[in-house]
């Protein structure tokens, strides 16, 4: 094991520096179109009576509909964007068509004139912008420094079964020894030394070179799944030299005897660890595969989309009708929002048929076995019925659990759910949840678990009481026994750090914290942002990842908002969220006019329902109150 050991003298190591460069911001379009709505004509110049221009996205709309007292921004999303980035970077990203490098959440419905104005602005700027989707770089963020300076704890990798190594992490813990590059060395060749794990944070480990005992001066963070981390004995089998760090080089005269003594009985990585890492990062979805995915402009239906890229199991899906490939949607390959071609027809779900009459060359349907399977249900006996009331996570405002109604019962256990008091007249914002979904709850769930239930908008009798509401609406509650009551031993604890998708801007993965746990339900807080942007997420959600996942997969991590952004948010956060966005999990700029067009296109098809499958859910107490 120690045949690779070598002892060499060293010189002083060198340091390096980097330079930064800036790009010039392209000018805004000089001429902008006129917007007409219901006989009224609006133009773009600021100062026009009753009109305002968003300082972030350039959208023009009715001033009274704009966010905050200053009317500088069209929505909370743009207010956050402006405060979290320099104005220069924000404008550059907007003009070049780049995704924002901030967390954004669209929380307000905009009037039609605002949507038309946004679309006109988007079309005008599109002529001058580059078609790239590369993200604007953000300042460097170090999980290690963040964890160390605040004494945070990260959720263990075993909490994330869908993540690489989530099911085969094994006994990797503090005290495990590994062979890593020796950076305390000035030799011209790359040499290694043995280090022990002092602290684990997801995939990241704080390592200390053997021989430093209680000296933490050269401790360093490293991703355990990285290519430079090896089990003890790797150097011997690979012919690589083991060289003690320069700082302690003269501490012992017989380093080989020291290592034998220190490593006897110690644990190291499995010999096939790197192979397992590689295998766990192979994803079955490939580019050019066709899938059915939720239509982000009409929640009630699906559309055909094509896999454009796969990063860490996350898919960038481009809607098939998008010629310039800008109309996209991000989700994990195990997301309940994507399905195989033909799924909508099989269960009676609404579907928007594509204008593409023939598959493009190279495109092919993703095999049905690649998609996550839902539990079979027995709908033959007592089952969900249209009109039944329940509580559900609002897909347009994931920080809220709302009063909801079953609007339609589909095949195979699927339900169309509407949020009471805020539904569109045509049902375009109904959302499809499976009967076993962890995002729907029986009446009374919030009250028993001390969660604030969001009543129907405009409902005057507050505080909200379910008994009174059921009587007033002449409706009944969905039977408790029909809901999913299984609670896995997920391993999460309040205060744990992780990386989480901002589901209102699903291309972004952000630094986040678990702040509440109710059975299998987690409340995820995005570090640096106000609590109103929190999200309720299931413990097994494929949109949660261990610390270090972005580094491992090459995905861009969004760091916590800086203090300046937090200060600027303090006043605006006192305002309650008003209306929800018409769009589900995506950019409002991409879908502004489509909302009007698609209401008129008539290209929606509602298929007949098929037979339901059979099997009952597990049983566990769902009404045990848990403290926050």
């Amino acid at each position: 094991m120690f045949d690779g050991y070598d002892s060499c003298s060293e010189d002083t190591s060198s340091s390096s520096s980097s330079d930064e460069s800036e790009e010039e911001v392209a000018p805004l379009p000089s001429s902008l179109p006129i917007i007409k709505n219901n006989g009224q004509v609006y133009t773009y110049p600021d100062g026009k009576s009753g009109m305002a221009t968003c300082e972030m996205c350039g959208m023009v709309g009715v001033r009274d509909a704009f966010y905050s007292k200053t009317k500088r921004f069209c929505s909370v999303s743009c207010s956050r964007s402006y405060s979290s980035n320099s104005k220069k970077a924000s404008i550059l990203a907007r003009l070049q068509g780049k995704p924002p490098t901030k967390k954004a959440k669209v929380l307000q419905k905009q009037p039609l004139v605002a949507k038309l104005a946004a679309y006109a602005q988007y079309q005008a700027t599109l002529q001058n912008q580059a078609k790239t989707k590369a993200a604007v770089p953000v300042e460097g963020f170090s999980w290690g420094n963040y964890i160390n300076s605040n004494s945070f704890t990260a959720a263990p990798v075993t909490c994330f079964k869908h993540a690489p190594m989530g099911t085969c992490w094994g006994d990797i813990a503090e005290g495990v020894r590994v062979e890593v590059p020796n950076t305390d060395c000035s030799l011209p060749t790359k040499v290694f030394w043995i280090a022990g794990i002092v602290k684990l944070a997801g995939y990241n480990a704080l390592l200390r070179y053997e021989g430093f005992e209680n000296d933490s001066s050269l401790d360093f963070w490293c991703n355990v799944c990285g290519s430079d981390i090896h089990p003890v004995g790797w150097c011997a089998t690979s012919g690589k030299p083991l060289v003690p760090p320069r700082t302690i080089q003269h501490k012992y005269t017989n380093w080989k005897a020291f290592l034998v003594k220190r490593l006897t009985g110690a644990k190291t990585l499995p010999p096939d660890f790197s192979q397992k890492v590689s295998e766990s990062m192979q994803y079955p979805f490939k580019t050019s595969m066709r899938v059915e995915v939720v239509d982000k402009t009409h929640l009630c239906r699906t559309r055909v989309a094509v896999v454009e890229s796969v990063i860490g199991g996350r898919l960038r899906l481009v809607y098939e009708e998008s010629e310039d490939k800008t109309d996209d949607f991000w989700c994990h390959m195990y997301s309940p929002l994507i399905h195989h071609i033909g799924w909508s027809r099989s269960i009676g779900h609404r579907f928007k048929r594509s204008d593409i009459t023939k598959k493009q060359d190279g495109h092919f349907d993703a095999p049905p076995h690649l998609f996550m399977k839902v539990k079979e249900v027995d709908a033959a006996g007592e089952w969900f019925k249209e009109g039944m009331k329940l509580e559900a996570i609002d897909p347009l405002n994931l920080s809220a659990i709302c009063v909801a109604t079953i609007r339609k019962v589909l095949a195979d256990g699927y339900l169309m759910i509407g949020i009471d008091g805020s539904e569109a007249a045509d049902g375009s914002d109904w959302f499809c949840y499976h009967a076993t979904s962890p995002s729907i709850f029986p009446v009374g769930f919030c009250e028993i678990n001390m969660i604030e239930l969001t009543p129907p908008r405009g409902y005057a009798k507050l505080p909200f009481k379910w008994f009174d509401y059921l009587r007033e609406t002449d409706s009944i509650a969905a039977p408790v026994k029909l809901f999913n009551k299984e609670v896995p031993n997920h391993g999460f604890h309040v205060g744990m750090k992780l990386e989480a998708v901002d589901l209102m801007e699903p291309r972004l993965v952000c630094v986040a914290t678990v702040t509440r746990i109710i059975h299998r339900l987690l409340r995820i807080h995005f570090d640096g942002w106000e609590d109103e942007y929190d999200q309720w997420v299931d413990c097994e959600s494929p949109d949660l990842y261990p610390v270090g996942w972005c580094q491992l997969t090459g995905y861009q991590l969004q760091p916590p908002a800086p203090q300046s952004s937090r200060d600027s948010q303090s006043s605006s956060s006192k305002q309650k969220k008003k209306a929800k966005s018409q769009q589900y999990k995506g950019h409002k700029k991409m879908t502004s006019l489509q909302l009007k067009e698609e209401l008129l296109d008539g290209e929606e098809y509602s298929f007949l329902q098929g037979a339901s499958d059979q099997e009952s859910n597990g049983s566990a107490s769902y009404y045990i109150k848990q403290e926050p």
Side-chain angles (χ1 to χ4, degrees):
M1 177 181 292
F2 308 109
D3 290 343
Y5 167 74
D6 190 15
S7 180
C8 303
S9 58
E10 308 163 47
D11 299 321
T12 305
S13 58
S14 60
S15 60
S16 61
S17 62
S18 60
D19 298 327
E20 297 180 355
S21 60
E22 298 182 349
E23 297 182 20
E24 294 185 357
V25 180
L28 288 168
S30 57
S31 61
L32 295 169
I34 295 176
I35 307 301
K36 297 181 180 180
N37 183 54
N38 297 331
Q40 293 180 303
V41 179
Y42 301 97
T43 54
Y44 271 79
D46 291 329
K48 181 77 174 179
S49 177
M51 298 297 293
T53 302
C54 179
E55 294 184 18
M56 176 61 200
C57 71
M59 186 180 75
V60 173
V62 178
R63 181 178 297 276
D64 290 341
F66 268 44
Y67 177 71
S68 78
K69 294 181 180 179
T70 62
K71 309 301 181 185
R72 296 173 59 199
F73 307 103
C74 65
S75 65
V76 176
S77 170
C78 284
S79 177
R80 291 178 66 202
S81 303
Y82 190 90
S83 61
S84 62
N85 294 283
S86 67
K87 185 174 181 180
K88 176 179 178 180
S90 300
I91 294 175
L92 180 63
R94 184 174 77 247
L95 294 180
Q96 296 183 345
K98 298 178 179 179
T101 57
K102 44 72 188 170
K103 288 177 15 57
K105 185 175 286 189
V106 182
L107 299 173
Q108 293 182 287
K109 287 183 177 178
Q110 300 298 333
L112 179 59
V113 63
K115 296 170 187 172
L116 293 172
Y119 179 74
Q121 171 71 4
Y122 171 66
Q123 292 288 61
T125 57
L126 195 63
Q127 298 174 3
N128 298 322
Q129 67 186 208
K131 297 299 189 294
T132 176
K133 301 296 289 184
V136 177
V138 296
E139 293 182 7
F141 171 76
S142 168
W143 261 120
N145 293 337
Y146 193 57
I147 294 287
N148 269 356
S149 59
N150 299 279
S151 299
F152 289 141
T153 301
V157 173
T158 52
C159 290
F160 310 87
K161 305 302 182 187
H162 58 280
M165 302 299 291
T167 58
C168 51
W169 191 243
D171 297 326
I172 300 175
E174 294 178 8
V176 167
R177 306 304 208 282
V178 293
E179 293 182 353
V180 294
N182 178 4
T183 57
D184 185 25
C185 172
S186 58
L187 294 175
T189 59
K190 189 174 185 178
V191 296
F192 294 79
W193 190 241
I194 294 172
I197 296 178
V198 177
K199 184 174 183 178
L200 265 180
Y203 293 116
N204 294 347
L206 181 62
L207 299 178
R208 181 174 300 170
Y209 289 122
E210 283 296 335
F212 274 79
E213 308 301 338
N214 296 322
D215 182 0
S216 61
S217 61
L218 288 186
D219 288 2
F220 61 99
W221 286 90
C222 194
N223 195 303
V224 177
C225 296
S227 58
D228 275 336
I229 306 295
H230 308 282
V232 173
W234 177 83
C235 283
T237 58
S238 304
K240 304 292 184 180
L242 279 175
V243 179
R246 179 183 52 193
T247 304
I248 58 170
Q249 183 178 359
H250 304 293
K251 188 174 182 179
Y252 298 97
T253 56
N254 190 337
W255 280 103
K256 190 169 185 178
F258 168 80
L259 291 180
V260 171
K261 181 179 178 180
R262 291 285 296 172
L263 299 179
T264 299
K267 292 183 178 180
T268 187
L269 300 178
D272 60 346
F273 184 77
S274 61
Q275 180 181 346
K276 286 183 177 180
V277 171
S278 178
E279 292 174 352
S280 68
M281 294 181 66
Q282 301 300 313
Y283 309 106
F285 280 85
K286 308 300 179 185
T287 56
S288 299
M289 282 186 174
R290 299 170 76 242
V291 301
E292 287 185 10
V293 64
V294 65
D295 184 343
K296 65 183 181 182
T297 62
H298 279 61
L299 310 189
C300 66
R301 69 187 184 188
T302 57
R303 296 170 62 184
V304 174
V306 179
V307 177
E308 180 69 18
S309 61
V310 183
I311 304 177
R314 304 203 75 227
L315 312 178
R316 178 179 178 246
L317 303 172
V318 175
Y319 289 114
E320 197 170 48
E321 296 160 300
S322 177
E323 295 182 359
D324 58 1
K325 296 185 178 183
T326 58
D327 193 5
D328 62 357
F329 185 85
W330 281 88
C331 66
H332 193 272
M333 62 183 182
Y334 294 149
S335 170
L337 302 175
I338 60 171
H339 310 275
H340 62 85
I341 298 295
W343 173 83
S344 297
R345 180 186 296 274
S346 69
I347 70 161
H349 194 282
R350 293 173 72 180
F351 175 76
K352 183 180 185 294
R353 189 164 62 186
S354 173
D355 291 337
I356 308 297
T357 56
K358 185 179 179 181
K359 290 183 187 177
Q360 297 185 25
D361 292 340
H363 291 178
F364 59 101
D365 296 350
H369 71 268
L370 298 185
F371 299 84
M372 282 293 289
K373 301 295 187 295
V374 294
K375 292 181 180 179
E376 296 180 350
V377 295
D378 182 7
E382 187 176 14
W383 192 240
F384 292 101
K385 293 182 175 59
E386 292 183 17
M388 283 183 172
K389 299 293 183 181
L390 70 165
E391 298 175 5
I393 296 177
D394 185 350
L396 292 173
N397 179 10
L398 295 163
S399 67
I401 299 179
C402 305
V403 174
T405 303
I406 297 173
R407 294 304 181 186
K408 190 176 182 181
V409 179
L410 308 179
D412 295 349
Y414 287 96
L415 311 169
M416 296 303 296
I417 306 294
I419 303 299
D420 286 20
S422 58
E423 296 176 63
D426 60 351
S428 60
D429 56 357
W430 293 354
F431 192 74
C432 185
Y433 280 125
H434 192 263
T436 61
S437 169
S439 297
I440 59 175
F441 317 95
V443 164
F445 173 83
C446 285
E447 181 179 358
I448 289 175
N449 291 287
M450 295 183 294
I451 301 173
E452 182 181 358
L453 176 66
T454 303
R457 187 179 305 149
Y459 187 72
K461 294 182 62 175
L462 300 176
F464 178 85
K465 299 294 183 183
W466 263 117
F467 180 81
D468 295 338
Y469 185 69
L470 291 174
R471 183 180 57 190
E472 293 167 7
T473 57
D474 192 24
S475 53
I476 62 173
V480 175
K481 66 181 181 180
L482 298 181
F483 292 84
N484 179 11
K485 294 174 283 292
E486 294 182 356
V487 181
N489 184 19
H490 47 68
F492 286 102
H493 297 288
V494 171
M496 282 183 169
K497 297 294 179 181
L498 69 164
E499 298 177 3
V501 175
D502 178 355
L503 291 172
M504 298 309 289
E505 190 68 62
R507 76 184 65 213
L508 304 181
V509 178
C510 314
V511 173
T513 307
V514 178
T515 56
R516 282 198 73 184
I517 301 176
I518 307 296
H519 305 295
R520 62 181 302 145
L521 194 63
L522 310 180
R523 189 166 180 87
I524 302 299
H525 173 76
F526 295 104
D527 290 18
W529 301 104
E530 301 297 332
D531 293 345
E532 65 186 70
Y533 302 109
D534 290 1
Q535 296 178 170
W536 286 109
V537 180
D538 183 60
C539 64
E540 295 182 339
S541 169
D543 295 308
L544 303 178
Y545 307 103
V547 165
W549 178 86
C550 282
Q551 179 188 7
L552 176 63
T553 61
Y555 208 94
Q556 180 177 333
L557 177 67
Q558 305 300 315
Q563 185 63 45
S564 58
S565 295
R566 302 180 206 179
D567 295 340
S568 65
Q569 292 296 321
S570 59
S571 58
S572 62
S573 64
K574 295 178 183 178
Q575 280 193 330
K576 280 288 183 182
K577 287 172 281 188
K578 298 179 181 178
K580 299 178 301 177
S581 166
Q582 287 278 3
Q583 180 179 319
Y584 178 67
K585 303 178 179 180
H587 292 298
K588 62 179 181 293
K589 287 186 286 186
M590 291 296 192
T591 61
S592 50
L593 191 60
Q594 293 171 356
L595 293 174
K596 178 184 177 184
E597 295 174 340
E598 290 170 350
L599 286 174
L600 305 175
D601 63 12
E603 294 182 299
E604 297 176 12
Y605 297 81
S606 184
F607 300 109
L608 296 177
Q609 297 184 19
S612 297
D613 296 324
Q614 301 179 2
E615 192 181 317
S616 60
N617 294 327
S619 60
S621 175
Y622 210 62
Y623 276 96
I624 300 176
K625 188 186 298 183
Q626 295 191 0
E627 295 298 327

